[in-house]
Amino acid sequence: MQDQSASTAATGSGTELLDSAVTHLVREAGASVALLYLLPRNETTLHLAVLSGAPWQLATPWNRVTLSAPIPVADAVRHRCLIWLGSQEELARRYPRPALVMPYHFALCAAPIRTGDIDRGGIVLLWPGSHAPQLTPQERDTMTAACHDVGMLLQQAESSGFPVLPGIQPRVLAPPEPPVPEPAEAAAAMEFVRRLPGGSCALALDGSITFLNDAAADLLGIRAADVLGTLPWVSLPWMDDPAVEDHYRAAVIGREQTSFTALRPPDRWLSFHLFPNASGISVRITPAGEPDPGTSPAPRLYSSPAVPSRATALYHLMHLAATLTEAVGTQDVIELAGDQLMPAFRIQTLILMTSAEGRLRIEGRRGLHPTLMDRFDGAPLNADTPAAHVLVTGVPSFYADFPGLERAYPAAGLRRAVAASAFLPLIVSGRPVGSLVLAYDRDHVFEPEERALLTSIAGLLAQALDRARLYDTKDRLAHSLQAHLLPHTLPRVEGLDVAARYLPATRGMGIGGDFYDLIRLDDSTAAVAIGDVQGHNVNAAALMGQVRTAVHASAGAPPDEVLARTNRLLTDLDPGLFTSCLYVHLDLAGHRAVLATAGHPPPLVRQPDGQTEVLGLPPGLLLGIDPSSRYPTAEIPLPPGAALALYTDGLVEAPGVDFDDAVAELAEHFALALDQTMDEVADTLVRYAKRFTPGSDDIALLLVNALRTED
């Protein structure tokens, strides 16, 4: 079965060490489904490592979850808190995307796995929809304890030099083994089943048929031996209906009893009643009367075992459509397409190509043969290749095997790296903008329904790609403007070691007004400034340039006067935007610093011995509000070896996270980096920020270290 192969694919990553912890958690919490995610070091994507209580096929849309995704487990890890969703209504209100794809009744809890200040992953538990609206204290404690124990296990494995890493596919834990009955009990149970009216059938959690009595076989019109081990909607063509598989999904995910009526051709109506538990699903099959015409099922099409069922395909199509609405760049589109399309249609390689200046260009790739089309990268659109032909004509092409592809393009010099392949046009407003190449390792017959689905999906991708390319263009222009308003290099100041970082937000279409500066005043004095103009647009960036120029022009005056002059300028301009700013005058000869703030996040100061504190400066009003505002100053010692960290709020601010706690944690990271250069410290703090608030806001960081005399 696929679940067994999934477990085999994960072997060797060390995730088997987590099996007992997940099994124990499910049992103690009384949950029906568990998903354990790992967050590898220096990554911002959660990987599903262990799955319990559900087949791998149902979890494929959630196999990889970026920390910025609006998904419960991502929020739990990012905000470092437990998230509880007691109903489908609450899930739909807070997380519409997963609610759209999983419209079933269940309760959900997500919690982070952490050790110290290291985020290691997260755990998700599902309960049946009959669960109480609130998480019980015992369930909360069980979840918290499990996250702690798993975190310690991961830490110990890492310390021993063998870190636990996610496999290519998650490990799927086998359901609990039912007790083995005595012979007399087994005989009595079989006799009990025979006496029941109608037919009896049993399904494994993955939907495959494990038992079918004679009465059920008669009602279904088949021999039991022909369907054991198969999926009903595959081996019984008349059951290949999204509604049928949807009832199965509801039974597995929500653990709810459900029933439906289906027509066995030509005119036999049957009623199916599903009774799920942790080990599988019991099904009762009975004759039924013809339903009202308005509720009759739609005509059904045959789906071969090599092709996903209609429900599976529609499930992934709906998920892809929902996720593509959140894609803000070309790489987002490619990643989402790979995550959804490849498992749904059992594709091994995906390549997305576009046209630029009359030539083919590879925009992105995923899978086992990423270099498949490299020789055609840059080829003219009139070249005799399948990708170029599809882009020019707008007509999709499907090849069940490699010889068929080679016969169609004998002069193309195609590599026999794959078997079957599909070339789909990406069409926007009637014009082809690119080609989607799908490749398979085995021969594959493309059924008409699958061709239609793949073509529809290519249309969705084309629209998303068109939006993404527009975003990429605007983003490059916007950030180019902002980069030109920031200093290209910082001046060299004797006695100072400095480092600066600027990271634009990775989501959204705007640019911010974050800025920083280092100003050399004379041989023994310098000034540093950092600020953040309200808003994320061109107006904010333009005002940022004016503020930076004003600070630069006033530099050398006392910090309170620098901020007061800049404030008067901004109120005269009346831009309708406010600005925070922190200005520091450095007296290197006197080993001191004088600071003033206009509503900016507090700086950090680290003493030569590593002791670090958050400086509580006298408050000052934001620039641009009141022309008469005053900005009190504070003086601190800055002995050789001491360092200052100035930053904008994008480094520490995130929804649901206490600002002061985040600043305190940033100070801990700053303190622990005592033996690093300022460039190394800057990289350390940025890595912290990217995992704490991934891509949510612009980040500016300026570090200043007063060098020791022996340096």
Side-chain angles (χ1 to χ4, degrees):
M1 293 183 186
Q2 287 189 8
D3 287 353
Q4 293 172 336
S5 64
S7 295
T8 302
T11 301
S13 64
T15 50
E16 62 273 10
L17 298 174
L18 307 173
D19 291 359
S20 60
V22 174
T23 301
H24 178 77
L25 171 60
V26 170
R27 184 175 62 249
E28 291 298 310
S32 53
V33 178
L35 303 92
L36 190 152
Y37 287 87
L38 295 179
L39 181 65
R41 285 295 192 104
N42 301 322
E43 285 196 25
T44 57
T45 298
L46 293 161
H47 299 258
L48 181 58
V50 181
L51 173 65
S52 172
W56 175 68
Q57 300 95 309
L58 298 192
T60 48
W62 324 106
N63 199 29
R64 289 161 25 98
V65 177
T66 60
L67 285 179
S68 58
I71 304 295
V73 67
D75 278 357
V77 175
R78 189 169 69 250
H79 301 323
R80 297 171 177 173
C81 66
L82 184 143
I83 290 176
W84 167 252
L85 301 167
S87 67
Q88 177 67 15
E89 181 181 349
E90 189 174 3
L91 177 67
R93 185 174 64 253
R94 295 177 58 183
Y95 299 96
R97 189 221 290 182
L100 175 68
V101 181
M102 300 175 63
Y104 311 115
H105 296 291
F106 59 87
L108 180 149
C109 180
I113 301 171
R114 301 185 67 218
T115 54
D117 61 351
I118 299 175
D119 298 314
R120 297 190 179 274
I123 296 178
V124 179
L125 292 184
L126 303 184
W127 286 266
S130 57
H131 190 284
Q134 300 299 325
L135 191 68
T136 68
Q138 180 181 356
E139 290 167 339
R140 180 182 290 269
D141 292 344
T142 299
M143 185 72 156
T144 302
C147 290
H148 174 269
D149 293 344
V150 171
M152 295 305 297
L153 182 62
L154 295 173
Q155 184 181 52
Q156 292 168 5
E158 186 178 71
S159 299
S160 67
F162 298 96
V164 177
L165 301 174
I168 299 173
Q169 296 175 354
R171 287 179 59 80
V172 181
L173 304 186
E177 290 286 340
V180 179
E182 296 293 334
E185 289 179 312
M190 287 300 299
E191 194 60 31
F192 170 80
V193 171
R194 289 192 189 98
R195 287 193 293 265
L196 291 174
S200 298
C201 174
L203 306 179
L205 283 179
D206 67 357
S208 59
I209 300 172
T210 58
F211 169 77
L212 193 74
N213 71 352
D214 292 340
D218 289 342
L219 288 170
L220 296 174
I222 45 89
R223 293 190 315 124
D226 293 338
V227 297
L228 287 177
T230 68
L231 298 172
W233 42 87
V234 173
S235 54
L236 301 172
W238 52 273
M239 292 194 73
D240 183 22
D241 185 283
V244 173
E245 193 174 343
D246 194 57
H247 282 282
Y248 152 73
R249 292 176 183 273
V252 173
I253 297 174
R255 292 291 197 269
E256 60 181 347
Q257 298 179 16
T258 181
S259 61
F260 61 91
T261 302
L263 173 64
R264 172 194 152 192
D267 55 6
R268 187 89 183 263
W269 288 95
L270 300 175
S271 180
F272 296 81
H273 302 268
L274 282 62
F275 304 90
N277 71 2
S279 61
I281 303 170
S282 297
V283 183
R284 291 288 298 144
I285 309 171
T286 57
E290 183 175 353
D292 294 335
T295 61
S296 297
R300 300 167 178 83
L301 297 176
Y302 175 72
S303 183
S304 74
V307 178
S309 67
R310 292 173 65 190
T312 298
L314 290 173
Y315 176 63
H316 287 278
L317 178 59
M318 184 179 294
H319 192 273
L320 177 62
T323 53
L324 284 176
T325 62
E326 299 163 5
V328 295
T330 302
Q331 287 306 310
D332 267 2
V333 173
I334 294 165
E335 291 296 317
L336 291 171
D339 288 345
Q340 301 305 315
L341 279 184
M342 295 177 71
F345 291 88
R346 304 179 182 97
I347 298 163
Q348 280 71 53
T349 303
L350 180 150
I351 299 172
L352 195 151
M353 308 184 79
T354 60
S355 62
E357 299 177 350
R359 294 183 177 274
L360 282 171
R361 300 291 182 190
I362 293 178
E363 291 280 354
R365 61 191 94 198
R366 287 281 297 275
L368 299 180
H369 305 286
T371 62
L372 178 66
M373 304 297 290
D374 271 2
R375 63 171 299 170
F376 303 118
D377 190 19
L381 296 183
N382 60 2
D384 187 25
T385 66
H389 180 76
V390 164
L391 192 152
V392 172
T393 64
V395 179
S397 299
F398 300 91
Y399 301 94
D401 52 33
F402 182 78
L405 175 61
E406 197 169 34
R407 283 193 299 271
Y409 295 93
L414 297 165
R415 296 173 53 193
R416 197 184 184 104
V418 296
S421 56
F423 297 84
L424 304 164
L426 301 174
I427 300 175
V428 177
S429 300
R431 60 183 177 87
V433 297
S435 302
L436 178 65
V437 183
L438 308 177
Y440 302 73
D441 278 355
R442 297 180 180 180
D443 293 352
H444 181 88
V445 176
F446 294 92
E447 299 290 341
E449 190 174 32
E450 185 183 15
R451 295 185 181 210
L453 274 171
L454 289 174
T455 303
S456 298
I457 288 171
L460 284 176
L461 289 177
Q463 295 174 30
L465 180 65
D466 198 47
R467 293 193 303 268
R469 294 175 75 184
L470 178 62
Y471 163 80
D472 287 340
T473 300
K474 290 185 176 180
D475 185 62
R476 284 193 297 268
L477 290 173
H479 288 298
S480 175
L481 167 63
Q482 189 164 28
H484 281 84
L485 293 173
L486 292 170
H488 291 183
T489 58
L490 295 176
R492 293 180 58 85
V493 177
E494 188 175 353
L496 285 182
D497 180 17
V498 298
R501 297 289 185 273
Y502 171 74
L503 277 76
T506 58
R507 298 190 69 84
M509 296 295 289
I511 57 174
D514 291 12
F515 68 93
Y516 59 86
D517 214 342
L518 169 65
I519 306 163
R520 184 182 183 279
L521 301 175
D522 58 36
D523 291 341
S524 62
T525 59
V528 290
I530 195 166
D532 185 0
V533 177
Q534 174 194 16
H536 290 81
N537 51 40
V538 175
N539 292 337
L543 184 60
M544 175 265 282
Q546 293 174 307
V547 173
R548 180 171 168 254
T549 300
V551 170
H552 220 284
S554 302
D560 56 335
E561 185 62 28
V562 172
L563 292 184
R565 292 178 186 175
T566 305
N567 178 56
R568 288 194 293 272
L569 172 65
L570 260 63
T571 51
D572 289 343
L573 292 173
D574 191 21
L577 299 174
F578 307 132
T579 303
S580 71
C581 186
L582 175 66
Y583 181 89
V584 185
H585 179 88
L586 301 172
D587 180 357
L588 302 178
H591 305 303
R592 67 188 187 102
V594 183
L595 308 91
T597 183
H600 199 78
L604 310 177
V605 60
R606 188 182 68 191
Q607 299 301 332
D609 61 0
Q611 182 178 347
T612 303
E613 65 174 314
V614 181
L615 288 178
L617 300 177
L621 198 61
L622 291 168
L623 303 177
I625 297 178
D626 181 359
S628 61
S629 293
R630 296 183 178 277
Y631 300 92
T633 60
E635 182 176 324
I636 63 168
L638 195 69
L644 286 170
L646 287 64
Y647 53 92
T648 55
D649 57 10
L651 195 70
V652 291
E653 203 169 60
V657 178
D658 183 82
F659 182 83
D660 292 337
D661 290 346
V663 172
E665 189 163 350
L666 182 70
E668 292 177 12
H669 283 272
F670 193 34
L672 293 173
L674 180 63
D675 296 329
Q676 298 179 355
T677 66
M678 285 297 100
D679 273 320
E680 292 171 338
V681 176
D683 290 337
T684 296
L685 298 185
V686 164
R687 280 196 300 270
Y688 157 79
K690 288 176 68 177
R691 296 179 67 173
F692 182 65
T693 58
S696 59
D697 196 3
D698 296 333
I699 293 172
L701 173 67
L702 182 59
L703 303 178
V704 178
N705 180 35
L707 295 174
R708 301 175 189 271
T709 53
E710 61 266 28
D711 292 338

